[in-house]
PDB file of all heavy atoms in Angstrom:
ATOM      1  N   ILE A 213      -5.577  26.199  19.644  1.00  0.00           N
ATOM      2  CA  ILE A 213      -5.655  24.895  18.964  1.00  0.00           C
ATOM      3  C   ILE A 213      -6.068  23.792  19.903  1.00  0.00           C
ATOM      4  O   ILE A 213      -6.918  22.956  19.616  1.00  0.00           O
ATOM      5  CB  ILE A 213      -4.308  24.589  18.291  1.00  0.00           C
ATOM      6  CG1 ILE A 213      -4.076  25.556  17.114  1.00  0.00           C
ATOM      7  CG2 ILE A 213      -4.230  23.156  17.819  1.00  0.00           C
ATOM      8  CD1 ILE A 213      -2.636  25.590  16.612  1.00  0.00           C
ATOM      9  N   ALA A 214      -5.459  23.756  21.084  1.00  0.00           N
ATOM     10  CA  ALA A 214      -5.747  22.717  22.076  1.00  0.00           C
ATOM     11  C   ALA A 214      -7.244  22.749  22.472  1.00  0.00           C
ATOM     12  O   ALA A 214      -7.859  21.735  22.750  1.00  0.00           O
ATOM     13  CB  ALA A 214      -4.864  22.857  23.271  1.00  0.00           C
ATOM     14  N   ALA A 215      -7.834  23.966  22.437  1.00  0.00           N
ATOM     15  CA  ALA A 215      -9.232  24.114  22.811  1.00  0.00           C
ATOM     16  C   ALA A 215     -10.190  23.536  21.769  1.00  0.00           C
ATOM     17  O   ALA A 215     -11.404  23.431  22.025  1.00  0.00           O
ATOM     18  CB  ALA A 215      -9.531  25.584  23.073  1.00  0.00           C
ATOM     19  N   LEU A 216      -9.670  23.180  20.593  1.00  0.00           N
ATOM     20  CA  LEU A 216     -10.541  22.621  19.538  1.00  0.00           C
ATOM     21  C   LEU A 216     -10.916  21.179  19.861  1.00  0.00           C
ATOM     22  O   LEU A 216     -11.877  20.649  19.226  1.00  0.00           O
ATOM     23  CB  LEU A 216      -9.819  22.690  18.176  1.00  0.00           C
ATOM     24  CG  LEU A 216      -9.475  24.068  17.644  1.00  0.00           C
ATOM     25  CD1 LEU A 216      -8.714  23.942  16.361  1.00  0.00           C
ATOM     26  CD2 LEU A 216     -10.761  24.877  17.430  1.00  0.00           C
ATOM     27  N   GLY A 217     -10.227  20.515  20.747  1.00  0.00           N
ATOM     28  CA  GLY A 217     -10.564  19.105  21.076  1.00  0.00           C
ATOM     29  C   GLY A 217     -11.927  19.007  21.714  1.00  0.00           C
ATOM     30  O   GLY A 217     -12.382  19.887  22.426  1.00  0.00           O
ATOM     31  N   ARG A 218     -12.611  17.906  21.384  1.00  0.00           N
ATOM     32  CA  ARG A 218     -13.884  17.577  22.028  1.00  0.00           C
ATOM     33  C   ARG A 218     -13.862  16.137  22.419  1.00  0.00           C
ATOM     34  O   ARG A 218     -14.349  15.257  21.725  1.00  0.00           O
ATOM     35  CB  ARG A 218     -15.035  17.840  21.053  1.00  0.00           C
ATOM     36  CG  ARG A 218     -15.352  19.325  20.831  1.00  0.00           C
ATOM     37  CD  ARG A 218     -16.596  19.505  19.935  1.00  0.00           C
ATOM     38  NE  ARG A 218     -16.930  20.898  19.744  1.00  0.00           N
ATOM     39  CZ  ARG A 218     -17.884  21.324  18.892  1.00  0.00           C
ATOM     40  NH1 ARG A 218     -18.552  20.443  18.173  1.00  0.00           N
ATOM     41  NH2 ARG A 218     -18.091  22.607  18.772  1.00  0.00           N
ATOM     42  N   PRO A 219     -13.304  15.851  23.590  1.00  0.00           N
ATOM     43  CA  PRO A 219     -13.218  14.446  24.035  1.00  0.00           C
ATOM     44  C   PRO A 219     -14.548  13.756  24.073  1.00  0.00           C
ATOM     45  O   PRO A 219     -14.615  12.544  23.778  1.00  0.00           O
ATOM     46  CB  PRO A 219     -12.582  14.560  25.424  1.00  0.00           C
ATOM     47  CG  PRO A 219     -11.842  15.877  25.398  1.00  0.00           C
ATOM     48  CD  PRO A 219     -12.657  16.770  24.527  1.00  0.00           C
ATOM     49  N   GLU A 220     -15.591  14.448  24.399  1.00  0.00           N
ATOM     50  CA  GLU A 220     -16.908  13.837  24.459  1.00  0.00           C
ATOM     51  C   GLU A 220     -17.417  13.383  23.088  1.00  0.00           C
ATOM     52  O   GLU A 220     -18.269  12.497  23.000  1.00  0.00           O
ATOM     53  CB  GLU A 220     -17.929  14.786  25.081  1.00  0.00           C
ATOM     54  CG  GLU A 220     -18.346  15.977  24.214  1.00  0.00           C
ATOM     55  CD  GLU A 220     -17.344  17.122  24.237  1.00  0.00           C
ATOM     56  OE1 GLU A 220     -16.280  16.978  24.884  1.00  0.00           O
ATOM     57  OE2 GLU A 220     -17.639  18.163  23.600  1.00  0.00           O
ATOM     58  N   ALA A 221     -16.855  13.945  22.028  1.00  0.00           N
ATOM     59  CA  ALA A 221     -17.204  13.543  20.668  1.00  0.00           C
ATOM     60  C   ALA A 221     -16.131  12.636  20.047  1.00  0.00           C
ATOM     61  O   ALA A 221     -16.209  12.306  18.887  1.00  0.00           O
ATOM     62  CB  ALA A 221     -17.406  14.785  19.779  1.00  0.00           C
ATOM     63  N   GLY A 222     -15.114  12.283  20.841  1.00  0.00           N
ATOM     64  CA  GLY A 222     -14.037  11.461  20.344  1.00  0.00           C
ATOM     65  C   GLY A 222     -12.978  12.218  19.595  1.00  0.00           C
ATOM     66  O   GLY A 222     -12.123  11.634  18.952  1.00  0.00           O
ATOM     67  N   THR A 223     -12.977  13.548  19.682  1.00  0.00           N
ATOM     68  CA  THR A 223     -12.038  14.374  18.945  1.00  0.00           C
ATOM     69  C   THR A 223     -10.910  14.796  19.826  1.00  0.00           C
ATOM     70  O   THR A 223     -11.102  15.416  20.888  1.00  0.00           O
ATOM     71  CB  THR A 223     -12.731  15.649  18.381  1.00  0.00           C
ATOM     72  OG1 THR A 223     -13.764  15.245  17.510  1.00  0.00           O
ATOM     73  CG2 THR A 223     -11.734  16.509  17.618  1.00  0.00           C
ATOM     74  N   THR A 224      -9.666  14.496  19.431  1.00  0.00           N
ATOM     75  CA  THR A 224      -8.488  15.000  20.131  1.00  0.00           C
ATOM     76  C   THR A 224      -7.659  15.848  19.187  1.00  0.00           C
ATOM     77  O   THR A 224      -7.484  15.506  18.035  1.00  0.00           O
ATOM     78  CB  THR A 224      -7.614  13.819  20.657  1.00  0.00           C
ATOM     79  OG1 THR A 224      -7.167  13.004  19.540  1.00  0.00           O
ATOM     80  CG2 THR A 224      -8.392  12.933  21.592  1.00  0.00           C
ATOM     81  N   VAL A 225      -7.234  16.976  19.714  1.00  0.00           N
ATOM     82  CA  VAL A 225      -6.373  17.934  18.960  1.00  0.00           C
ATOM     83  C   VAL A 225      -5.157  18.213  19.822  1.00  0.00           C
ATOM     84  O   VAL A 225      -5.264  18.892  20.858  1.00  0.00           O
ATOM     85  CB  VAL A 225      -7.173  19.214  18.617  1.00  0.00           C
ATOM     86  CG1 VAL A 225      -6.278  20.186  17.835  1.00  0.00           C
ATOM     87  CG2 VAL A 225      -8.412  18.894  17.842  1.00  0.00           C
ATOM     88  N   THR A 226      -4.022  17.681  19.438  1.00  0.00           N
ATOM     89  CA  THR A 226      -2.848  17.639  20.303  1.00  0.00           C
ATOM     90  C   THR A 226      -1.656  18.280  19.668  1.00  0.00           C
ATOM     91  O   THR A 226      -1.028  17.713  18.753  1.00  0.00           O
ATOM     92  CB  THR A 226      -2.517  16.197  20.686  1.00  0.00           C
ATOM     93  OG1 THR A 226      -3.662  15.496  21.134  1.00  0.00           O
ATOM     94  CG2 THR A 226      -1.416  16.146  21.697  1.00  0.00           C
ATOM     95  N   PRO A 227      -1.246  19.497  20.101  1.00  0.00           N
ATOM     96  CA  PRO A 227       0.051  20.044  19.634  1.00  0.00           C
ATOM     97  C   PRO A 227       1.181  19.143  20.070  1.00  0.00           C
ATOM     98  O   PRO A 227       1.245  18.733  21.255  1.00  0.00           O
ATOM     99  CB  PRO A 227       0.112  21.421  20.342  1.00  0.00           C
ATOM    100  CG  PRO A 227      -1.337  21.746  20.657  1.00  0.00           C
ATOM    101  CD  PRO A 227      -1.970  20.421  20.973  1.00  0.00           C
ATOM    102  N   THR A 228       2.029  18.792  19.143  1.00  0.00           N
ATOM    103  CA  THR A 228       3.047  17.794  19.452  1.00  0.00           C
ATOM    104  C   THR A 228       4.491  18.251  19.325  1.00  0.00           C
ATOM    105  O   THR A 228       5.358  17.806  20.021  1.00  0.00           O
ATOM    106  CB  THR A 228       2.860  16.554  18.538  1.00  0.00           C
ATOM    107  OG1 THR A 228       2.830  16.973  17.164  1.00  0.00           O
ATOM    108  CG2 THR A 228       1.564  15.830  18.873  1.00  0.00           C
ATOM    109  N   VAL A 229       4.748  19.173  18.338  1.00  0.00           N
ATOM    110  CA  VAL A 229       6.116  19.636  18.105  1.00  0.00           C
ATOM    111  C   VAL A 229       6.047  21.129  17.840  1.00  0.00           C
ATOM    112  O   VAL A 229       5.154  21.614  17.112  1.00  0.00           O
ATOM    113  CB  VAL A 229       6.743  18.959  16.863  1.00  0.00           C
ATOM    114  CG1 VAL A 229       8.148  19.489  16.595  1.00  0.00           C
ATOM    115  CG2 VAL A 229       6.772  17.455  17.069  1.00  0.00           C
ATOM    116  N   ALA A 230       6.980  21.877  18.460  1.00  0.00           N
ATOM    117  CA  ALA A 230       7.053  23.336  18.225  1.00  0.00           C
ATOM    118  C   ALA A 230       8.517  23.734  18.078  1.00  0.00           C
ATOM    119  O   ALA A 230       9.409  23.224  18.742  1.00  0.00           O
ATOM    120  CB  ALA A 230       6.411  24.079  19.370  1.00  0.00           C
ATOM    121  N   THR A 231       8.736  24.673  17.163  1.00  0.00           N
ATOM    122  CA  THR A 231      10.081  25.247  16.982  1.00  0.00           C
ATOM    123  C   THR A 231       9.957  26.740  16.807  1.00  0.00           C
ATOM    124  O   THR A 231       8.959  27.234  16.247  1.00  0.00           O
ATOM    125  CB  THR A 231      10.806  24.667  15.743  1.00  0.00           C
ATOM    126  OG1 THR A 231      10.010  24.950  14.572  1.00  0.00           O
ATOM    127  CG2 THR A 231      10.937  23.152  15.828  1.00  0.00           C
ATOM    128  N   ALA A 232      10.971  27.446  17.274  1.00  0.00           N
ATOM    129  CA  ALA A 232      10.934  28.916  17.142  1.00  0.00           C
ATOM    130  C   ALA A 232      12.309  29.463  17.409  1.00  0.00           C
ATOM    131  O   ALA A 232      13.120  28.896  18.148  1.00  0.00           O
ATOM    132  CB  ALA A 232       9.923  29.542  18.124  1.00  0.00           C
ATOM    133  N   GLY A 233      12.583  30.618  16.776  1.00  0.00           N
ATOM    134  CA  GLY A 233      13.769  31.369  17.119  1.00  0.00           C
ATOM    135  C   GLY A 233      15.056  30.891  16.472  1.00  0.00           C
ATOM    136  O   GLY A 233      15.142  29.796  15.962  1.00  0.00           O
ATOM    137  N   THR A 234      16.054  31.806  16.537  1.00  0.00           N
ATOM    138  CA  THR A 234      17.363  31.503  15.988  1.00  0.00           C
ATOM    139  C   THR A 234      18.466  31.736  16.998  1.00  0.00           C
ATOM    140  O   THR A 234      19.368  30.888  17.169  1.00  0.00           O
ATOM    141  CB  THR A 234      17.617  32.426  14.758  1.00  0.00           C
ATOM    142  OG1 THR A 234      17.422  33.806  15.138  1.00  0.00           O
ATOM    143  CG2 THR A 234      16.674  32.059  13.604  1.00  0.00           C
TER     144      THR A 234
END
Side-chain angles (χ1 to χ4, degrees):
I213 290 165
L216 297 177
R218 286 185 179 173
E220 71 279 4
T223 300
T224 60
V225 180
T226 309
T228 54
V229 179
T231 60
T234 54

